[in-house]
């Protein structure tokens, strides 16, 4: 699809006013801003979403066909069949509109779409936009008819305190940005290798002042070296360790150890000797800790319902949850010690825009893409992070908004990041080959990308997800050919894939949306109507699907109409289409029931499960009357199998690290999609010394 966008003026007649008022909304089509006059908040719409709203507003009361909308939005361009639906979904979300009982955009079957509200180009007092100062003044102050000099005098006298406050705020803003000049000449960088040996070295940490590096080797060994890579001390653990972080001044090192279904925070010294260990903290995953002071750290822990931030006082072994300034639909990524030694928190919103905030909610930096790798550069007083490209190159950003390139990856992907006081950037660059193998252990698809979620049907066709383009895209392997089914180019993540019982359609998700494919293209998508991220989904019949967020189970027809909503709490649930029953794990026991509504009355206990099979459950599969699923224990991946016929024996059939996903071949053979030929080396990206004449 072409990236060029038609000029908005093509869709707005010259005599049409810039502002449109409808119900409690005001839309400024010149700025692409949508104002909610009830909450006094504004949203900057994406350009194409703004164009779509403009078309509706300028043709209110008319049914507009899909063809006309496509031609107007994408003239002389071939677009995906799903593109218009995605724009409609985004616009409805902004307006808080429901497609099934619309207040704004009505779907007229087989004809198109109709914009319902009446539109005004004059602003009634009740619908003034929050920034519409002129209109608000005229509506509330009849003395505006006075001469200009009189009005200015009155206004200045009335608002003198406001002006004084604003002056103070300006000086505060100047002080806030004083660490970075208005225009900065950033450094250029060159790369050096720190480690050369074949193997896996990652999770790098550089001490800000001392000649010390720490990193993890082969998953369970902590290496302490100098900054040239010369080894000094090491310590090996019986389970996986991760994310060492040096104290900014002292020779102290905090790092994590995965142990069973929990994580332990260790604090050691530069000789790899353990000085302190926390109590086990329940966790699924963890990210690097951030030192707040000599005795306090900010910990980011992934729990059942997402990442949470905690303050940890290691002298008292005290863990306190932090009240992050974020909305329920937003994601917390991690914390960083940055300007003036303070801690800042990275939040990604529902539109995948990122912002760095303090606990008081003040925004200190923003990005127009999801940031997941980031650290503070003391020399430049900037944040170094991944960029928005498919290859996740490294960029720097100053507080004044200026960005600059740091380094572009040529192979693999940067996975950890640390910067010392000299501005030297240390990073681990990982490369690998991911193989989805067939029943003969031959790779049906191999790449250096992230390829997984393989689902093979009885015909031997495999559908899977790949991020080889930098985005989650769906592929079909059939007849020794690989065909790409989706061209989404969005940041939404794919977690599940499932063939329908007749093997004619494929169900997938993109975050909380459900998407239907045939063997050639996208058929449709619709919102799952869950409040939390999806935990699982599947087919009920050839014409109905279901989804769950762990709190409720929703069923839909293939047009996306909600058929039922059942409150049912479970971390593991799957529907058996052949015997029309639900398979559920609750309280460590595997159950079967024909109904979720009367589950407690009719449930049948099948097997008691070991604790290792219950931690971080994912990827349930039903094949040939047997149930399979994946779990994690001490950050090692395990695959389980249980027959749904007596005696319901539970068996661990695979156990090793780096299993991305698995599949069951038509003959029952286990297929594993995993990272193979993994290599990771430590790189130094060093600012070049500028020559003086």
């Amino acid at each position: 699809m072409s990236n060029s966008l038609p000029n908005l003026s093509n869709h707005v007649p010259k005599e049409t006013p810039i502002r449109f008022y409808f119900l409690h909304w005001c839309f400024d089509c010149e700025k692409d801003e949508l104002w909610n006059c009830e909450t006094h908040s504004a949203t900057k719409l994406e350009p194409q979403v703004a164009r779509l709203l403009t078309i509706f507003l300028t043709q209110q009361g008319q049914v507009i066909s899909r063809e006309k909308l496509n031609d107007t939005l994408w003239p002389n361009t071939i677009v995906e069949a799903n593109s218009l639906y995605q724009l409609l979904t985004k616009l409805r979300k902004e307006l808080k509109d429901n497609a099934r009982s619309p207040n704004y955009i009505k779907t007229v079957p087989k004809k198109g779409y109709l914009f319902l509200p009446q539109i005004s180009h004059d602003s009634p007092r009740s619908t003034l936009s929050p920034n519409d100062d002129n209109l608000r003044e005229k509506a509330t102050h009849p003395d505006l008819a006075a001469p200009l000099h009189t009005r200015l005098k009155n206004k200045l006298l009335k608002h003198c305190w406001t002006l004084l406050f604003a002056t103070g705020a300006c000086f505060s803003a100047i002080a806030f940005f004083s660490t970075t000049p208005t225009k900065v000449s950033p450094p250029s960088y060159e790369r050096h290798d720190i480690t050369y040996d074949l193997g896996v070295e990652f999770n790098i940490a550089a001490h800000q002042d001392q000649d010390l590096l720490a990193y993890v080797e082969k998953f369970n060994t902590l290496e302490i070296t100098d900054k040239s890579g010369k080894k000094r001390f090491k310590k090996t653990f019986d389970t996986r360790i991760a994310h060492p972080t040096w104290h900014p001044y002292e020779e102290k090192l905090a790092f994590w150890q995965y142990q069973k279904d929990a994580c332990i925070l260790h604090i050691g010294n530069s000789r790899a000797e353990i000085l302190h260990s926390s109590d086990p903290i329940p966790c699924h995953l963890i990210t690097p800790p951030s030192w707040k002071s000599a005795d306090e750290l900010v910990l980011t822990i992934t729990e059942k319902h997402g990442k949470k931030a905690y303050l940890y006082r290691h002298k008292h072994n005290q863990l306190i949850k932090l009240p992050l300034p974020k909305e329920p639909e937003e994601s917390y990524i991690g914390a960083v010690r940055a300007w003036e030694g303070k801690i800042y928190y990275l939040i990604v919103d529902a539109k995948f825009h990122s912002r760095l905030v303090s606990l008081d909610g003040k925004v200190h930096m923003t990005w127009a893409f999801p940031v997941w790798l980031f650290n503070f550069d003391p020399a430049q007083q900037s944040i170094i992070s991944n960029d928005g490209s498919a290859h996740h190159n490294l960029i720097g950003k100053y507080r004044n908004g200026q960005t600059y390139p740091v380094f572009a990856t040529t192979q693999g992907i940067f996975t950890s990041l640390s910067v010392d006081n000299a501005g030297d950037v240390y990073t681990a660059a990982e490369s690998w080959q991911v193989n989805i193998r067939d029943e003969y252990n031959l790779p049906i698809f191999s790449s250096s990308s992230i390829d997984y979620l393989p689902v093979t049907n009885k015909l031997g066709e495999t559908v899977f997800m790949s991020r080889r383009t930098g985005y989650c895209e769906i592929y079909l392997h059939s007849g020794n050919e690989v065909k790409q089914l989706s061209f989404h180019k969005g940041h939404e993540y794919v977690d599940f894939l499932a063939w329908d019982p007749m093997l004619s359609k494929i169900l997938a998700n993109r975050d909380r949306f459900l998407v239907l494919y045939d063997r050639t293209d996208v058929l449709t998508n619709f919102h799952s109507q869950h409040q939390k991220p999806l935990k699982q989904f599947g087919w009920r019949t050839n014409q109905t699907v279901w989804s769950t967020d762990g709190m409720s189970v929703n069923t839909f027809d293939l047009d996306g109409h909600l058929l039922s909503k059942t409150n049912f709490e479970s971390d593991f649930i799957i529907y058996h289409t052949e015997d029309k029953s639900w398979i559920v794990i609750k309280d460590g026991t595997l159950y079967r029931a024909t109904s979720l509504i009367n589950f407690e009355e009719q449930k049948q206990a099948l097997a008691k499960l070991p604790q290792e099979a219950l931690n971080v459950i994912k990827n349930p599969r039903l094949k040939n009357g047997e149930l399979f699923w994946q779990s994690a224990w001490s950050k090692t991946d395990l695959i389980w199998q249980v027959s749904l016929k007596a005696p319901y024996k539970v068996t661990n059939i695979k156990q090793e690290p780096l299993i991305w996903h698995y599949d069951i071949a038509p003959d029952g053979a286990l297929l594993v999609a995993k990272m193979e030929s993994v290599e990771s080396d430590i790189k130094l990206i060093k600012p070049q010394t500028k020559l003086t004449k």
Side-chain angles (χ1 to χ4, degrees):
M1 184 173 68
S2 171
N3 290 326
S4 61
L5 299 176
N7 192 302
L8 182 59
S9 62
N10 295 337
H11 310 300
V12 184
K14 297 297 183 183
E15 66 276 8
T16 300
I18 293 299
R19 288 194 180 98
F20 298 85
Y21 298 89
F22 56 98
L23 296 182
H24 59 279
W25 299 97
C26 172
F27 177 60
D28 188 325
C29 63
E30 187 175 57
K31 298 179 180 179
D32 289 353
E33 288 182 348
L34 181 65
W35 290 91
N36 186 327
C37 302
E38 289 183 345
T39 62
H40 302 291
S41 60
T43 301
K44 182 79 170 180
L45 298 183
E46 297 177 19
Q48 284 292 69
V49 177
R51 285 164 171 76
L52 178 60
L53 178 55
T54 303
I55 295 170
F56 282 134
L57 291 170
T58 54
Q59 301 186 50
Q60 189 274 340
Q62 302 178 39
V63 176
I64 312 172
S65 68
R66 291 178 59 91
E67 292 76 15
K68 183 174 180 180
L69 287 171
N70 280 323
D71 291 344
T72 308
L73 290 164
W74 298 282
N76 304 315
T77 304
I78 299 174
V79 298
E80 305 166 32
N82 203 36
S83 298
L84 178 58
Y85 184 85
Q86 291 179 22
L87 286 185
L88 284 165
T89 300
K90 290 178 180 179
L91 180 55
R92 281 171 168 150
K93 184 176 181 181
E94 293 292 348
L95 296 172
K96 298 177 175 56
D97 197 21
N98 189 325
R100 289 158 187 79
S101 55
N103 293 318
Y104 298 92
I105 304 170
K106 179 180 179 180
T107 301
V108 182
K110 299 182 180 181
K111 292 185 178 181
Y113 302 93
L114 175 67
F115 194 74
L116 299 174
Q118 292 297 314
I119 298 169
S120 171
H121 304 303
D122 297 319
S123 173
R125 182 173 178 177
S126 60
T127 60
L128 290 178
S129 59
N131 73 333
D132 200 343
D133 295 332
N134 292 333
L135 290 174
R136 187 175 301 279
E137 291 288 337
K138 290 178 182 179
T140 56
H141 296 284
D143 61 344
L144 284 181
L148 177 61
H149 68 276
T150 304
R151 282 185 278 143
L152 288 175
K153 179 181 178 181
N154 292 338
K155 193 174 185 69
L156 286 172
L157 288 173
K158 185 174 181 180
H159 297 292
C160 61
W161 288 108
T162 303
L163 292 171
L164 287 172
F165 176 80
T167 303
C170 289
F171 281 112
S172 298
I174 292 170
F176 179 80
F177 288 106
S178 61
T179 55
T180 302
T182 302
K183 187 175 183 180
V184 183
S185 178
S188 56
Y189 293 85
E190 57 186 7
R191 194 195 74 175
H192 304 270
D193 292 325
I194 300 296
T195 61
Y196 303 90
D197 299 335
L198 291 176
V200 182
E201 296 96 12
F202 59 104
N203 285 174
I204 180 66
H207 198 289
Q208 287 194 358
D209 290 321
Q210 305 299 320
D211 186 20
L212 290 170
L213 289 181
Y215 58 85
V216 177
E217 183 178 28
K218 297 178 181 177
F219 306 113
N220 64 343
T221 298
L222 176 66
E223 288 278 3
I224 308 291
T225 75
D226 63 19
K227 288 183 176 176
S228 67
K230 183 179 179 180
K231 296 186 178 182
R232 293 184 175 180
F233 302 97
K234 72 176 182 180
K235 184 176 181 62
T236 300
F237 296 80
D238 57 353
T239 57
R240 287 184 66 168
I241 61 171
H243 301 302
T245 304
W246 289 104
H247 188 280
Y249 311 118
E250 303 176 17
E251 293 188 9
K252 285 183 181 179
L253 183 73
F255 63 96
W256 289 100
Q257 180 182 9
Y258 289 100
Q259 195 165 87
K260 298 181 178 179
D261 59 349
C263 299
I264 295 173
L265 182 73
H266 297 295
I267 296 176
N269 60 21
S270 58
R271 300 174 62 87
E273 299 168 333
I274 303 300
L275 307 176
H276 168 84
S277 298
S278 72
D279 293 335
I281 303 171
C283 73
H284 287 188
L285 288 170
I286 38 78
T287 56
S290 297
W291 287 88
K292 187 174 186 290
S293 65
D295 302 323
E296 296 179 324
L297 299 98
V298 172
L299 309 182
T300 299
I301 302 171
T302 303
E303 302 173 348
K304 183 184 298 185
H305 298 299
K307 290 182 179 178
K308 302 291 189 298
Y310 292 90
L311 178 67
Y312 179 66
R313 296 190 174 104
H314 67 83
K315 285 191 175 181
H316 302 91
N317 208 13
Q318 186 180 30
L319 196 65
I320 305 167
K321 187 176 179 180
L322 293 172
L324 294 177
K326 75 178 194 68
E327 299 299 322
E329 68 274 10
E330 296 180 328
S331 300
Y332 165 61
I333 305 301
V336 63
R337 180 187 173 99
W339 303 281
E340 301 173 348
K342 297 179 181 179
I343 301 296
Y344 301 85
Y345 305 85
L346 185 69
I347 308 293
V348 176
D349 66 21
K351 295 181 179 179
F352 303 101
H353 297 163
S354 306
R355 67 182 187 273
L356 197 66
V357 301
S358 44
L359 274 185
D360 59 6
K362 186 175 183 179
V363 178
H364 298 263
M365 191 170 287
T366 62
W367 297 262
F369 51 85
V371 171
W372 56 272
L373 181 66
F374 62 106
N375 214 319
F376 179 63
D377 182 349
Q380 293 295 315
Q381 292 288 297
S382 63
I383 295 292
I384 295 180
S385 73
N386 62 281
D387 67 4
S389 72
H391 300 288
H392 305 296
N393 302 314
L394 296 181
I395 61 170
K397 187 166 188 175
Y398 296 113
R399 268 178 147 173
N400 66 358
Q402 179 183 346
T403 61
Y404 59 94
V406 176
F407 207 79
T409 178
T410 56
Q411 184 179 9
I413 188 172
F414 297 120
T415 56
S416 59
L417 188 63
S418 185
V419 193
D420 66 14
N421 282 335
D424 291 343
V425 180
Y426 295 84
T427 181
E430 294 186 23
S431 61
W432 57 81
Q433 179 171 308
V434 177
N435 291 322
I436 299 175
R437 297 182 175 272
D438 62 15
E439 62 268 32
Y440 306 108
N441 203 36
L442 298 174
I444 63 174
F445 190 74
S446 300
S447 79
S448 58
S449 176
I450 303 175
D451 303 320
Y452 61 111
L453 298 178
V455 183
T456 302
N457 63 26
K458 293 180 180 179
L459 301 176
E461 300 172 306
T462 300
V463 62
F464 62 95
M465 190 277 285
S466 173
R467 299 194 69 183
R468 63 186 309 190
T469 65
Y471 305 97
C472 294
E473 303 292 3
I474 308 301
Y475 294 81
L476 174 65
H477 176 265
S478 178
N480 296 321
E481 294 182 354
V482 174
K483 180 177 182 180
Q484 186 172 345
L485 299 184
S486 72
F487 298 87
H488 184 68
K489 307 302 181 195
H491 297 294
E492 291 83 1
Y493 209 76
V494 175
D495 303 277
F496 314 104
L497 288 168
W499 286 93
D500 76 326
M502 296 299 292
L503 310 183
S504 62
K505 298 181 184 67
I506 301 156
L507 180 65
N509 79 299
R510 288 200 180 272
D511 288 344
R512 299 181 198 184
F513 277 80
L514 301 181
V515 189
L516 277 174
Y517 302 85
D518 58 15
R519 285 177 171 81
T520 60
D521 202 353
V522 178
L523 297 176
T524 186
N525 69 22
F526 50 88
H527 199 280
S528 65
Q529 301 190 37
H530 289 296
Q531 299 301 314
K532 296 182 177 180
L534 296 184
K535 285 189 173 293
Q536 190 54 46
F537 71 4
W539 294 83
R540 285 289 304 270
T541 67
N542 294 330
Q543 300 299 319
T544 58
V545 298
W546 64 273
S547 63
T548 179
D549 61 353
M551 303 301 294
S552 64
V553 177
N554 296 345
T555 60
F556 303 88
D557 64 21
L558 299 191
D559 291 324
H561 299 118
L562 181 65
L563 303 178
S564 67
K565 183 180 182 72
T566 305
N567 293 328
F568 189 82
E569 187 172 352
S570 175
D571 290 331
F572 181 106
I573 184 170
I574 191 168
Y575 187 73
H576 197 323
T577 57
E578 294 179 4
D579 68 4
K580 296 180 174 56
S581 65
W582 295 96
I583 309 299
V584 176
I585 293 178
K586 268 183 162 299
D587 303 321
T589 301
L590 185 69
Y591 294 99
R592 174 167 31 208
T594 57
S595 171
L596 298 179
I597 298 175
N598 301 313
F599 177 80
E600 293 298 329
E601 290 77 13
Q602 54 142 301
K603 66 184 180 183
Q604 174 193 2
L606 304 183
K608 192 71 176 177
L609 303 179
Q611 193 175 2
E612 297 93 322
L614 299 170
N615 187 53
V616 197
I617 296 177
K618 59 182 179 180
N619 304 333
R621 300 290 184 85
L622 276 169
K623 288 289 182 75
N624 305 322
E626 294 184 310
L627 175 66
F628 302 82
W629 72 93
Q630 196 171 346
S631 71
W633 195 250
S634 296
K635 201 61 174 67
T636 297
D637 300 307
L638 302 94
I639 300 176
W640 301 86
Q641 177 182 12
V642 58
S643 172
L644 296 181
K645 297 180 181 179
Y648 310 114
K649 183 180 179 181
V650 181
T651 307
N652 175 216
I653 59 175
K654 193 75 172 178
Q655 179 173 331
E656 60 181 280
L658 301 181
I659 295 178
W660 285 94
H661 206 86
Y662 70 95
D663 193 19
I664 308 300
D667 63 358
L670 175 67
L671 313 179
V672 173
K674 60 170 294 188
M675 287 170 49
E676 300 176 359
S677 304
V678 181
E679 294 184 16
S680 181
D681 296 310
I682 306 302
K683 310 293 182 186
L684 165 61
I685 303 174
K686 190 176 183 65
Q688 293 181 348
T689 302
K690 295 184 179 179
L691 299 177
T692 57
K693 295 182 180 180

